[in-house]
Amino acid sequence: MELNERKQKILEAIIRNYMETGEPVGSRTVSKYTDLNLSSATIRNEMSDLEEMGYILQPHTSAGRIPSDKAYRLYVDTMLTSKDQEVEEMKELLVEKADKIDLLLKQVAKLLAQNTNYTSMVTKPKYEHKKIKFIQLNQIAERQLLVLIVLDNNHVNNKFIDLLDDIDEGALSQLNFMLNAALSGLDFTEINMAIMQQIKEKAGDYGDLASSILDCVSEVMTEEDDSEIFTSGATNILKYPELTDKERMTELLSTFEEKQMLAAWANDRTAEDNKEHSIQVYIGEESPVESMKDCSVVTATYQIKEGVYGKIGIVGPKRMDYEKVVGTLENCMQQLDDIFKKKA
């Protein structure tokens, strides 16, 4: 069965009406909502075909129809046209807060939630490829060592090691030189077992200490991989009846509050994310977060400079206003571009 132009127009009318009202849509409503000039009987026949094709569902025998996930996907892929929306208030507030990246991104989350009436998620930027710039060892007490690890993003990390034995200044300088010669300029993924074993062997009597320092390096890299996530508008979820089931609502709110479950979304990078301003739409079961399988999630990737990126997401019901959400995200990305270029 073919999804011809008439069926597409009827399906679009059902989707748009349901997004506005949240109520099942009947043939009489569709007849008033389109310019097809079709009788209610003809529309009912077409709706029956659309149901058979899996685009609409009938929640109750006597009720109208509601869009399926398949219908939302078609709408996003073929019916959605991007709208350029000027949000001057957003630009002014973003510039005002641009002196600190965390304040800026918190403000982004807040404004997106306000402008869309949905829930927003924004990650702090992370480095796609982090390399060790240098390591500095300093003995700060008789048996305590400060390990200073500087990454190529100029993040400075301090770790402390309690020494089991004394170490003289010459041996410490030699160990410091050896570690930098072996590790400087390497990405964490390049530091393999062979390199670590070689360092331990060259360290001789200080092999155990070298092993402890390598553990510190590993710890720093792992910490650097954890993305901080700002959320806003979590209670907006309560405005949509289809998401207010007690168990479902509790799980969703917990996700936004505790944020651990958002880590998979924050750290996931697809090929599409590498495209400038790539916007991804996840509907229902497509959602990257388990507790959001009854929602739609629209995401975008922002970039501060080459290799430094973060993610923005908007979560709402499957009947969300996709045009408004995509338009707002595109506008937001452009504003961030302007700000980051000024700061560069």
Side-chain angles (χ1 to χ4, degrees):
M1 198 179 299
E2 183 187 352
L3 188 66
N4 55 33
E5 184 181 354
R6 186 162 77 177
K7 284 185 174 63
Q8 283 192 20
K9 285 191 175 183
I10 291 172
L11 180 58
E12 184 174 359
I14 293 169
I15 293 171
R16 288 181 177 276
N17 191 271
Y18 183 69
M19 285 194 302
E20 287 177 8
T21 66
E23 297 292 332
V25 184
S27 57
R28 290 186 63 186
T29 303
V30 173
S31 66
K32 298 173 185 175
Y33 213 86
T34 67
D35 57 358
L36 292 173
N37 296 319
L38 300 173
S39 68
S40 291
T42 302
I43 292 173
R44 279 196 297 273
N45 288 334
E46 295 287 12
M47 289 172 72
S48 179
D49 288 345
L50 287 169
E51 187 174 0
E52 190 177 332
M53 295 167 74
Y55 287 108
I56 57 177
L57 309 168
Q58 189 172 25
H60 307 291
T61 307
S62 59
R65 270 51 165 206
I66 64 173
S68 66
D69 288 5
K70 184 178 178 181
Y72 286 123
R73 170 50 58 197
L74 180 71
Y75 176 73
V76 168
D77 290 345
T78 63
M79 295 180 182
L80 183 62
T81 54
S82 298
K83 288 183 176 180
D84 293 328
Q85 296 189 8
E86 295 298 327
V87 189
E88 287 304 320
E89 179 189 1
M90 177 185 283
K91 187 169 184 177
E92 291 171 7
L93 287 170
L94 289 181
V95 172
E96 181 185 332
K97 297 291 184 180
D99 55 337
K100 279 195 174 183
I101 191 69
D102 54 345
L103 290 178
L104 169 65
L105 296 177
K106 285 178 184 176
Q107 194 66 21
V108 168
K110 182 180 177 182
L111 288 170
L112 286 175
Q114 288 176 347
N115 287 340
T116 63
N117 222 19
Y118 302 129
T119 303
S120 64
M121 315 178 290
V122 181
T123 71
K124 287 187 72 170
K126 60 187 295 181
Y127 282 66
E128 194 164 21
H129 301 290
K130 300 181 293 292
K131 296 183 178 181
I132 296 172
K133 197 169 186 178
F134 68 86
I135 297 170
Q136 180 63 47
L137 307 178
N138 295 299
Q139 191 165 359
I140 57 173
E142 187 176 348
R143 289 203 172 181
Q144 191 173 50
L145 191 67
L146 170 64
V147 182
L148 191 74
I149 303 166
V150 181
L151 303 181
D152 65 339
N153 57 7
N154 290 323
H155 281 198
V156 180
N157 304 269
N158 298 321
K159 296 291 178 183
F160 297 93
I161 295 176
D162 293 323
L163 301 172
L164 299 175
D165 301 301
D166 294 330
I167 181 170
D168 63 63
E169 192 175 328
L172 189 62
S173 296
Q174 192 174 0
L175 185 59
N176 203 140
F177 176 80
M178 182 190 67
L179 284 163
N180 278 289
L183 300 177
S184 182
L186 291 186
D187 187 282
F188 182 56
T189 57
E190 299 173 307
I191 305 173
N192 55 37
M193 291 299 294
I195 290 174
M196 291 191 286
Q197 187 59 38
Q198 191 177 33
I199 290 172
K200 291 175 191 176
E201 288 173 1
K202 285 186 177 181
D205 293 340
Y206 299 106
D208 288 342
L209 177 57
S211 182
S212 296
I213 295 167
L214 289 170
D215 287 342
C216 291
V217 173
S218 176
E219 223 176 287
V220 164
M221 291 297 202
T222 304
E223 289 170 357
E224 284 281 311
D225 275 341
D226 293 336
S227 292
E228 186 174 354
I229 304 170
F230 305 116
T231 60
S232 185
T235 54
N236 284 344
I237 291 293
L238 304 178
K239 298 175 182 177
Y240 303 97
E242 61 266 46
L243 298 177
T244 54
D245 170 81
K246 187 176 181 181
E247 185 177 342
R248 184 183 302 163
M249 178 186 64
T250 301
E251 189 177 0
L252 260 178
L253 293 177
S254 295
T255 299
F256 294 125
E257 187 176 338
E258 297 172 13
K259 301 178 185 176
Q260 293 96 327
M261 286 186 284
L262 298 179
W265 164 74
N267 295 317
D268 181 48
R269 286 275 278 170
T270 66
E272 289 297 312
D273 287 335
N274 293 318
K275 297 178 182 177
E276 187 177 9
H277 292 186
S278 170
I279 292 179
Q280 302 295 308
V281 181
Y282 303 90
I283 299 168
E285 292 295 326
E286 299 172 351
S287 173
V289 182
E290 185 60 35
S291 61
M292 297 177 187
K293 297 297 184 184
D294 293 314
C295 304
S296 281
V297 184
V298 184
T299 71
T301 301
Y302 69 85
Q303 192 171 28
I304 294 180
K305 59 181 181 179
E306 185 66 34
V308 187
Y309 67 92
K311 296 185 79 170
I312 298 174
I314 295 176
V315 183
K318 287 186 281 189
R319 61 182 173 98
M320 72 159 54
D321 188 336
Y322 293 96
E323 288 174 310
K324 181 177 182 181
V325 169
V326 171
T328 302
L329 266 182
E330 286 181 338
N331 182 267
C332 176
M333 304 302 282
Q334 188 58 57
Q335 306 294 358
L336 286 175
D337 267 0
D338 292 345
I339 290 168
F340 293 141
K341 283 173 185 173
K342 286 177 184 176
K343 290 172 71 68

